[in-house]
mmCIF file of all heavy atoms in Angstrom:
data_model
loop_
_atom_site.group_PDB
_atom_site.id
_atom_site.type_symbol
_atom_site.label_atom_id
_atom_site.label_comp_id
_atom_site.label_asym_id
_atom_site.label_seq_id
_atom_site.Cartn_x
_atom_site.Cartn_y
_atom_site.Cartn_z
ATOM 1 N N ASP Q 542 52.908 6.964 23.027
ATOM 2 C CA ASP Q 542 53.231 8.385 22.826
ATOM 3 C C ASP Q 542 54.027 8.908 24.026
ATOM 4 O O ASP Q 542 55.007 9.647 23.867
ATOM 5 C CB ASP Q 542 51.946 9.224 22.688
ATOM 6 C CG ASP Q 542 51.152 8.851 21.438
ATOM 7 O OD1 ASP Q 542 51.733 8.230 20.534
ATOM 8 O OD2 ASP Q 542 49.944 9.187 21.390
ATOM 9 N N ALA Q 543 53.598 8.509 25.224
ATOM 10 C CA ALA Q 543 54.264 9.005 26.437
ATOM 11 C C ALA Q 543 55.673 8.434 26.571
ATOM 12 O O ALA Q 543 56.599 9.133 26.999
ATOM 13 C CB ALA Q 543 53.426 8.642 27.667
ATOM 14 N N VAL Q 544 55.856 7.173 26.183
ATOM 15 C CA VAL Q 544 57.208 6.583 26.272
ATOM 16 C C VAL Q 544 58.120 7.257 25.251
ATOM 17 O O VAL Q 544 59.262 7.642 25.561
ATOM 18 C CB VAL Q 544 57.169 5.053 26.033
ATOM 19 C CG1 VAL Q 544 58.589 4.478 26.099
ATOM 20 C CG2 VAL Q 544 56.268 4.359 27.043
ATOM 21 N N ILE Q 545 57.610 7.427 24.037
ATOM 22 C CA ILE Q 545 58.455 7.957 22.961
ATOM 23 C C ILE Q 545 58.836 9.424 23.241
ATOM 24 O O ILE Q 545 59.889 9.893 22.809
ATOM 25 C CB ILE Q 545 57.767 7.729 21.591
ATOM 26 C CG1 ILE Q 545 57.750 6.218 21.313
ATOM 27 C CG2 ILE Q 545 58.488 8.473 20.459
ATOM 28 C CD1 ILE Q 545 56.895 5.775 20.158
ATOM 29 N N ALA Q 546 58.032 10.113 24.032
ATOM 30 C CA ALA Q 546 58.400 11.478 24.440
ATOM 31 C C ALA Q 546 59.672 11.473 25.303
ATOM 32 O O ALA Q 546 60.337 12.499 25.448
ATOM 33 C CB ALA Q 546 57.245 12.108 25.218
ATOM 34 N N ASN Q 547 60.038 10.305 25.838
ATOM 35 C CA ASN Q 547 61.231 10.182 26.699
ATOM 36 C C ASN Q 547 62.356 9.391 26.030
ATOM 37 O O ASN Q 547 63.269 8.896 26.692
ATOM 38 C CB ASN Q 547 60.849 9.466 28.005
ATOM 39 C CG ASN Q 547 60.025 10.352 28.923
ATOM 40 O OD1 ASN Q 547 60.559 11.248 29.564
ATOM 41 N ND2 ASN Q 547 58.717 10.115 28.958
ATOM 42 N N ILE Q 548 62.270 9.240 24.710
ATOM 43 C CA ILE Q 548 63.199 8.329 24.022
ATOM 44 C C ILE Q 548 64.593 8.973 23.872
ATOM 45 O O ILE Q 548 64.718 10.185 23.674
ATOM 46 C CB ILE Q 548 62.605 7.917 22.645
ATOM 47 C CG1 ILE Q 548 63.094 6.549 22.219
ATOM 48 C CG2 ILE Q 548 62.847 8.949 21.572
ATOM 49 C CD1 ILE Q 548 62.305 5.421 22.762
ATOM 50 N N ASN Q 549 65.616 8.168 23.963
ATOM 51 C CA ASN Q 549 67.003 8.654 23.847
ATOM 52 C C ASN Q 549 67.496 8.656 22.405
ATOM 53 O O ASN Q 549 66.925 7.969 21.549
ATOM 54 C CB ASN Q 549 67.943 7.743 24.658
ATOM 55 C CG ASN Q 549 67.911 8.080 26.127
ATOM 56 O OD1 ASN Q 549 67.468 9.163 26.524
ATOM 57 N ND2 ASN Q 549 68.378 7.145 26.954
ATOM 58 N N PHE Q 550 68.586 9.355 22.173
ATOM 59 C CA PHE Q 550 69.272 9.293 20.881
ATOM 60 C C PHE Q 550 69.689 7.842 20.626
ATOM 61 O O PHE Q 550 70.126 7.150 21.535
ATOM 62 C CB PHE Q 550 70.515 10.194 20.888
ATOM 63 C CG PHE Q 550 70.159 11.642 20.718
ATOM 64 C CD1 PHE Q 550 69.781 12.427 21.805
ATOM 65 C CD2 PHE Q 550 70.175 12.230 19.453
ATOM 66 C CE1 PHE Q 550 69.428 13.754 21.651
ATOM 67 C CE2 PHE Q 550 69.815 13.560 19.296
ATOM 68 C CZ PHE Q 550 69.441 14.325 20.389
ATOM 69 N N HIS Q 551 69.522 7.391 19.393
ATOM 70 C CA HIS Q 551 69.909 6.034 18.961
ATOM 71 C C HIS Q 551 69.135 4.928 19.684
ATOM 72 O O HIS Q 551 69.622 3.809 19.810
ATOM 73 C CB HIS Q 551 71.423 5.811 19.102
ATOM 74 C CG HIS Q 551 72.215 6.770 18.261
ATOM 75 N ND1 HIS Q 551 72.252 6.698 16.891
ATOM 76 C CD2 HIS Q 551 72.962 7.851 18.613
ATOM 77 C CE1 HIS Q 551 72.989 7.685 16.421
ATOM 78 N NE2 HIS Q 551 73.433 8.406 17.443
ATOM 79 N N ALA Q 552 67.928 5.265 20.174
ATOM 80 C CA ALA Q 552 67.095 4.234 20.819
ATOM 81 C C ALA Q 552 66.547 3.280 19.758
ATOM 82 O O ALA Q 552 66.525 3.601 18.559
ATOM 83 C CB ALA Q 552 65.942 4.893 21.567
ATOM 84 N N ARG Q 553 66.098 2.106 20.234
ATOM 85 C CA ARG Q 553 65.475 1.101 19.350
ATOM 86 C C ARG Q 553 64.073 0.796 19.867
ATOM 87 O O ARG Q 553 63.880 0.629 21.077
ATOM 88 C CB ARG Q 553 66.293 -0.208 19.326
ATOM 89 C CG ARG Q 553 67.595 -0.124 18.539
ATOM 90 C CD ARG Q 553 68.738 0.509 19.317
ATOM 91 N NE ARG Q 553 69.106 -0.246 20.519
ATOM 92 C CZ ARG Q 553 69.765 0.255 21.552
ATOM 93 N NH1 ARG Q 553 70.145 1.533 21.579
ATOM 94 N NH2 ARG Q 553 70.056 -0.508 22.595
#
Side-chain angles (χ1 to χ4, degrees):
D542 295 342
V544 179
I545 292 169
N547 287 284
I548 208 85
N549 280 342
F550 282 84
H551 299 290
R553 286 81 62 201

